[in-house]
Amino acid sequence: MIKIKELHKSYTMGQNTLYVLKGIDFDVREGEMVAIMGSSGSGKSTLLNILGMLDTADSGTYILDSNPIKELDETKAAIYRNKFLGFVFQSFNLISYKTALENVMLPLYYQKVNRKERQARAQNFLEQVGLGPWASHHPNELSGGQKQRVAIARALVSEPKVLLADEPTGALDSKTSYELMDVLQKINDTGITLLIVTHEEDIAKMCKRIVHLRDGVIVEDKKVKQVRASSYVE
Amino acid sequence: MWNRDRWQEMFYTLRKNKLRTTLSGFTVAMGIFIFVLLFGFGNGLKNSFQEFFMDDSTNTVWLYPGQTEKPYRGFKAKRRIIFKNDDLVDIQQNFPFFIEYLTPRISRGALVKRGKESNNYTIRAVAPGHQYAEKTIITNGRYINEADVQNKTKFATIGRLVENDLFGDKPSIGQQIDVGGISFKVVGVFKDDGGDNEERLIYIPYTTRQRLEKSNDRIDQIIVAFRPELGYAGALALEKKLNAFMRKKHNIAPNDRSGIYVRNVAADLKETQQFAGVLQWVVFFIGIGTLLAGIIGISNIMVFVVKERTKELGIRKAIGATPKSVIGMILHESVFITTIAGYVGLLAGVGTLSLIGDSLEEFFIINPYISTNTAVIATLILILFGAIAGYIPARRAAKIKPIIALRDE
């Protein structure tokens, strides 16, 4: 599903150049649930942003679903993001003036799905994440966990092949985090590939594979026995 | 553009961001409103200058007798100059090539009575040509004619308001009026675009006035109308020659400024037209300035609007918005707001002009107006620049990497 080779990324701040990714080789197969771990500044979020085409690499190759990404212009990248990828951010990134339902409907607007169908599909996904009754609420009327579920519903509504989550539990308490991981595991069970950036060990253990990053290189890449989040959720 | 979904999305966004929408709209509406108002005022100012000359002919030279200041050819200083009928004849004979018509004018105030009604009016004793000099419009009957002058008839042509005062709704033609104790027959009624004062006048033959004043042949002033084809240069030449001719005839020193006064309406008009030309430029620059201020205002608000939405645009891009759709969305919104607000400002401006227009006459602003073309073009310019002002930051926003936009707070 995802193939990257010799991926490099640096940021220039004034006269200093900060090398964040220093040649990453990394494959993800369809249906995997991968945790990308590392301390702050290890480059894990940068890697996820490049994989999500929110940012570009300086060099290296990135192939998503057999398509070389580097050659895509911004318009094609937007279409890819819309069709193949779903995002979940630590800070939710919901549009504040839209209701939960309208936020979830938005990716379908860019797929030119008609309004009625958008509404029906968005409502269905909100119900899948347990937020059916909260559809008409605005983000500021929802708890952190609820906002993240809306974000997950929004990421899933366009039926992506890969779901990218950057510290999805970072702003949540433990109980809500496990509930959320339960939702993500169930999503993975349906065959959707998941990449989760986290620095929490217990969250990483709920994935099937853990990739450790340190100073811009992969120092460990191992398969683990997945801990089911449902065992923590009553 | 005609995608129903896009319109719905736009209306929704505008409705949910009322303050932002109102602020941008207000800037545009205010720009057009002030433009229409100032442009209208400028035109009104121009109108008042034009109106000043509108009710009189512009191809006339007016001669007024004065009092000499300098002794000349044996005549002492402080001598009163008096125009007489022979001046009319001499001017006519010496300037046949220049002259279209000429008329004397003798003005007297008199109590005018008709039955129980009476009032004081100015009585002007004139020749038939005076009708053209003052652009008097006959609404009923006729003006004083050549036969009246020859026969020294006691006929009068009265102003519309004189008729109103003395006759009310009844017909006045053929009726007698008492002018300072002398009975005159009304032969005509006139109106004049020069305003109420010009319609409270009574015209009688100048020869009749002279007969009533002990059969003298004195004239208060002479109005000489020259052929319009002479143009401005010809008018100046005539003025100069007439002045010299009359000074010579009445033995006034060439450098004595007080002996005789000459007013050339053509020269006055030329000056006024030049001033009106300057005014036109002033109006034009006010218009351009206001439009520029409006455009800068819109640009500012658009930059602010796009900046404020950077994060939202980042989110939209992350979930699939293409650069084209981001630009399209902002442009659609900005053009929509500018068009509606521009139209509102236009209507408000035109409405205000027509509401307060009449009350501005005392400030020398007559009939302030803005032509539909000017108003529409100004609004279109503002809409166009509103679009450009929206496009530039929108394009910049569309180019920002989604991750950078997402980090914007």
Side-chain angles (χ1 to χ4, degrees):
Chain A
M1 176 60 64
I2 291 173
K3 269 185 198 293
I4 53 175
K5 216 168 176 57
E6 272 300 300
L7 207 67
H8 287 263
K9 177 72 181 174
S10 61
Y11 293 108
T12 305
M13 279 170 276
Q15 290 186 333
N16 300 324
T17 304
L18 185 67
Y19 295 94
V20 185
L21 299 179
K22 302 168 184 168
I24 303 270
D25 293 327
F26 180 55
D27 286 3
V28 179
R29 284 192 307 278
E30 198 170 344
E32 274 199 290
M33 185 168 178
V34 184
I36 301 171
M37 290 197 74
S39 55
S40 182
S42 60
K44 55 189 190 301
S45 288
T46 304
L47 176 62
L48 196 80
N49 291 334
I50 292 171
L51 293 178
M53 288 186 275
L54 299 176
D55 205 351
T56 48
D58 298 341
S59 62
T61 54
Y62 170 24
I63 293 165
L64 172 67
D65 201 35
S66 314
N67 297 293
I69 295 307
K70 215 173 175 187
E71 292 156 23
L72 297 181
D73 61 22
E74 185 47 42
T75 303
K76 279 186 184 151
I79 295 167
Y80 262 72
R81 277 197 294 270
N82 187 260
K83 253 170 119 177
F84 289 98
L85 304 169
F87 293 95
V88 177
F89 302 94
Q90 182 178 359
S91 55
F92 322 121
N93 283 339
L94 300 174
I95 294 177
S96 58
Y97 63 83
K98 287 183 180 280
T99 62
L101 183 72
E102 287 157 353
N103 266 289
V104 179
M105 284 164 68
L106 202 54
L108 299 177
Y109 169 76
Y110 291 110
Q111 284 184 2
K112 299 189 171 34
V113 174
N114 73 55
R115 191 172 180 84
K116 250 187 182 162
E117 198 185 330
R118 286 208 306 264
Q119 218 153 0
R121 276 165 69 176
Q123 183 67 39
N124 178 32
F125 275 93
L126 270 180
E127 269 154 25
Q128 280 186 34
V129 295
L131 280 180
W134 298 86
S136 60
H137 288 252
H138 284 88
N140 61 357
E141 297 162 334
L142 303 174
S143 71
Q146 287 172 321
K147 281 183 204 171
Q148 203 57 298
R149 282 161 188 256
V150 175
I152 291 170
R154 184 181 63 183
L156 293 175
V157 77
S158 53
E159 293 170 358
K161 291 191 171 176
V162 180
L163 187 68
L164 303 164
D166 189 3
E167 303 271 12
T169 58
L172 309 176
D173 58 56
S174 303
K175 185 174 171 281
T176 319
S177 297
Y178 297 144
E179 284 171 356
L180 195 87
M181 284 310 290
D182 185 39
V183 172
L184 292 176
Q185 283 178 337
K186 284 174 181 159
I187 291 165
N188 181 239
D189 292 344
T190 65
I192 294 175
T193 310
L194 248 86
L195 268 84
I196 301 172
V197 161
T198 182
H199 61 272
E200 295 166 86
E201 199 79 40
D202 53 341
I203 295 297
K205 282 179 180 165
M206 292 173 180
C207 297
K208 295 170 179 169
R209 178 180 160 195
I210 300 176
V211 174
H212 259 277
L213 248 72
R214 189 177 300 147
D215 297 331
V217 290
I218 294 174
V219 290
E220 191 183 28
D221 185 349
K222 61 177 181 187
K223 289 198 172 173
V224 291
K225 191 174 180 311
Q226 188 181 35
V227 177
R228 292 303 291 191
S230 54
S231 58
Y232 295 94
V233 182
E234 288 164 26
Chain B
M1 186 72 176
W2 305 115
N3 183 330
R4 185 165 160 256
D5 241 16
R6 190 149 136 186
W7 280 95
Q8 277 178 341
E9 177 71 13
M10 184 197 73
F11 281 126
Y12 182 82
T13 311
L14 295 183
R15 216 171 40 240
K16 288 285 175 179
N17 296 281
K18 284 194 187 89
L19 180 69
R20 193 174 74 200
T21 309
T22 315
L23 267 180
S24 347
F26 182 76
T27 314
V28 178
M30 206 59 190
I32 281 290
F33 177 76
I34 294 173
F35 172 80
V36 170
L37 231 55
L38 287 182
F39 209 87
F41 286 172
N43 277 336
L45 212 55
K46 224 172 65 193
N47 283 344
S48 43
F49 276 91
Q50 270 170 2
E51 193 142 303
F52 191 67
F53 284 90
M54 278 272 282
D55 68 315
D56 290 338
S57 257
T58 51
N59 62 325
T60 51
V61 178
W62 298 52
L63 302 165
Y64 306 86
Q67 192 174 36
T68 58
E69 274 181 349
K70 295 176 180 171
Y72 187 62
R73 287 189 180 166
F75 291 98
K76 288 181 180 173
K78 298 200 181 296
R79 175 170 53 99
R80 277 200 76 80
I81 303 299
I82 294 164
F83 288 171
K84 291 185 177 174
N85 287 354
D86 63 347
D87 287 318
L88 294 174
V89 177
D90 286 343
I91 292 172
Q92 186 77 62
Q93 282 176 353
N94 283 281
F95 299 93
F97 173 72
F98 288 96
I99 292 173
E100 190 171 68
Y101 60 83
L102 84 167
T103 172
R105 184 198 268 185
I106 309 164
S107 297
R108 302 285 183 268
L111 180 68
V112 180
K113 292 190 268 191
R114 192 254 161 195
K116 287 179 186 169
E117 304 295 337
S118 69
N119 210 341
N120 281 302
Y121 299 102
T122 300
I123 318 298
R124 280 182 181 167
V126 297
H130 195 276
Q131 184 186 352
Y132 310 111
E134 279 285 349
K135 287 193 176 171
T136 305
I137 302 152
I138 295 293
T139 54
N140 205 356
R142 65 172 176 84
Y143 200 71
I144 301 303
N145 63 21
E146 211 50 63
D148 295 330
V149 172
Q150 290 295 323
N151 301 323
K152 302 176 185 175
T153 58
K154 288 178 184 162
F155 288 167
T157 301
I158 62 173
R160 186 179 61 88
L161 296 179
V162 177
E163 187 189 38
N164 270 1
D165 292 349
L166 300 180
F167 292 90
D169 294 336
K170 290 175 188 150
S172 59
I173 303 290
Q175 302 295 313
Q176 296 289 327
I177 52 171
D178 180 326
V179 180
I182 313 288
S183 188
F184 275 77
K185 186 176 163 186
V186 178
V187 292
V189 181
F190 67 88
K191 63 173 188 169
D192 195 302
D193 290 338
D196 287 0
N197 284 342
E198 298 282 316
E199 292 183 339
R200 287 192 193 283
L201 292 170
I202 296 173
Y203 290 111
I204 60 170
Y206 74 95
T207 47
T208 310
R209 168 62 67 201
Q210 287 172 336
R211 195 177 74 175
L212 292 174
E213 292 183 354
K214 297 173 188 169
S215 287
N216 67 22
D217 62 350
R218 292 182 176 186
I219 292 167
D220 282 359
Q221 49 190 272
I222 299 170
I223 304 165
V224 180
F226 54 85
R227 293 200 171 106
E229 57 267 29
L230 291 179
Y232 178 61
L236 287 186
L238 173 65
E239 176 195 337
K240 211 173 162 186
K241 284 185 180 176
L242 260 180
N243 198 352
F245 174 78
M246 291 297 275
R247 278 174 190 279
K248 192 174 175 191
K249 186 179 173 209
H250 288 271
N251 295 305
I252 303 163
N255 57 353
D256 188 343
R257 285 185 304 169
S258 306
I260 204 163
Y261 298 99
V262 182
R263 179 184 157 221
N264 190 341
V265 178
D268 290 356
L269 182 70
K270 178 107 177 167
E271 274 174 26
T272 309
Q273 277 173 340
Q274 277 169 347
F275 188 70
V278 172
L279 260 184
Q280 182 78 58
W281 278 104
V282 171
V283 168
F284 177 74
F285 280 114
I286 286 174
I288 294 285
T290 320
L291 268 188
L292 265 178
I295 289 165
I296 292 167
I298 295 168
S299 309
N300 273 337
I301 204 100
M302 284 302 166
V303 168
F304 163 75
V305 162
V306 175
K307 176 83 192 127
E308 190 222 23
R309 297 178 77 177
T310 305
K311 181 156 183 151
E312 180 197 326
L313 299 178
I315 297 171
R316 285 176 182 268
K317 286 181 86 173
I319 59 177
T322 58
K324 202 174 133 194
S325 71
V326 167
I327 295 172
M329 179 181 76
I330 295 171
L331 265 189
H332 200 182
E333 284 180 29
S334 69
V335 170
F336 180 77
I337 294 174
T338 335
T339 308
I340 298 294
Y343 192 63
V344 168
L346 180 71
L347 286 185
V350 171
T352 309
L353 274 188
S354 60
L355 264 180
I356 64 166
D358 290 342
S359 60
L360 294 171
E361 264 196 54
E362 55 182 304
F363 303 108
F364 300 105
I365 293 170
I366 296 175
N367 184 25
Y369 76 99
I370 180 162
S371 71
T372 316
N373 273 353
T374 313
V376 168
I377 289 171
T379 312
L380 287 178
I381 288 177
L382 219 59
I383 291 170
L384 176 74
F385 278 92
I388 295 172
Y391 176 75
I392 294 168
R395 201 184 58 167
R396 204 180 308 136
K399 274 185 178 170
I400 299 176
K401 280 183 188 170
I403 192 63
I404 294 173
L406 281 170
R407 282 186 195 135
D408 191 81
E409 287 302 335

